[in-house]
Amino acid sequence: MLHRTKPGRSLKWGLIGAATVLTVPLLAACGSSEDGVVLSFYTAADGAEQYAEAAANCTAAAGGRYTVEQRTLPKGADDQRLQLARRLTGNDSSLDIMTLDVVWTAEFAEAGWALPLPPDVAAKVGEGTLEGPLESAKWQDQLYAAPLNTNTQLLWYRKDLMPDGQPPQTWDQMIDIAEGLAGEGRPSWIGVQGKQYEGLMVWFNTLLASAGGSVVADDGTTVTVADGDAALTALEVMKRVATAKGADPSVSQGDEASSRLGMESGKSAFEVNWPFVLPGMIENAEKGDLPFIDDKGNPTSENTGNTVLTVDGQQNFLPAPYPSVIPGRPAEVTIGGFNVAVAKTSRHPDLAFEAVQCLRNEENQRNNAVNGGVPPTLASLYDDPAFQEAYPAWREVRDGLDTASVRPVSPAYQSISTLITATLNPVGDIDPPRTVDELAEQVRKAVNSEGLIP
């Protein structure tokens, strides 16, 4: 999954920065041992330290009935999915619990790889969980996983470059401001994810949903991307971002990391990105890695005391709601994150479902957010003053989740995503009317398992 490139263990959110020494149980490889039942917990690489800490917490809470052993999957999302698929199709009984990217739910459910949550567990998981993340764990109205964490992109902007100090509310306003800055010889890039990869799918899906459209219908197979004018509107925004005066010349190679670096280098006025960018910039500022900026906002070798992060001692790099596509209509931002599921291969599903509830409890989600940077899925945390202090972007994240969208829910999602991103890249070459027709044809092929994957 794309969705979360983030700095390492040294994340600092406001006053929070204490590191925790982890102790990963070194136990037998699978199922059970002389020490009792061992439940393996295969997780994404990002946040592995927090997941290991949760495993240790849940082992302690189990009182000796079982041990949860965290194991790290490969770094890349495709490699994670491939390893899990191979273990599941090979009936690997050492696989008990697994983190699933939110876009894998339908595929893993349809294939019978993830067990449906028993009714009593589903009821407990649903209680207090935000609606958007909860929907991402369902397939055909049944929960196949429990939301572990979520993610949503925000607009990040430089206050010193805003005409009235306020961020734009729409994409058109943002592009107009950027072009005005370019005309004044000031930083003007808009950081977006235009490279041919999952990030481009997230950008397109957000713009499409915000314009009132969808890629496929709820059945996962009926192609709807060309219905109405939503796709045309979304593509016109993408084309304009890529070709605007003063645009990032490498926009079609942009990803989350390059968007962050473009901002930190002083070249960008805006970026749409995940919340990890704020602690990352704070960390780099503390190391002295941010350039100074002059009175026009451009990087300078002169020590002005001002950086992208702070100007005149005040925070200058700020979050704002994701820009709307339709004025007055909140953006529907594509959510990311991970759910946690019990594998069909588990020899101890009852204990595994019990452990799943512990792994996503409030304590462990708080740790994932504060020390790992990923937003929680439990509504109660967003209302907790201590959490609000430790997680500065909590309000924008919560507001974004209230109107979130999900990527196409379909067992064919991987093919859909691959074909859409191949069609949309390079972004500057998009011809909106023609590209809408191409997208419809490519999605049709994907849901019907036709054609070759680029």
Side-chain angles (χ1 to χ4, degrees), residues 37 57 59 76 123 145 175 396 431 444:
V37 174
N57 292 339
T59 295
I175 297 167
E396 289 79 10
D431 177 354
R444 187 194 65 77

Side-chain angles (χ1 to χ4, degrees), residues 263-288:
M263 178 62 76
E264 292 189 2
S265 70
K267 297 177 180 176
S268 297
F270 307 97
E271 64 173 315
V272 286
N273 218 329
W274 310 97
F276 78 90
V277 297
L278 177 57
M281 183 177 291
I282 292 173
E283 182 178 342
N284 287 333
E286 291 175 346
K287 293 189 295 186

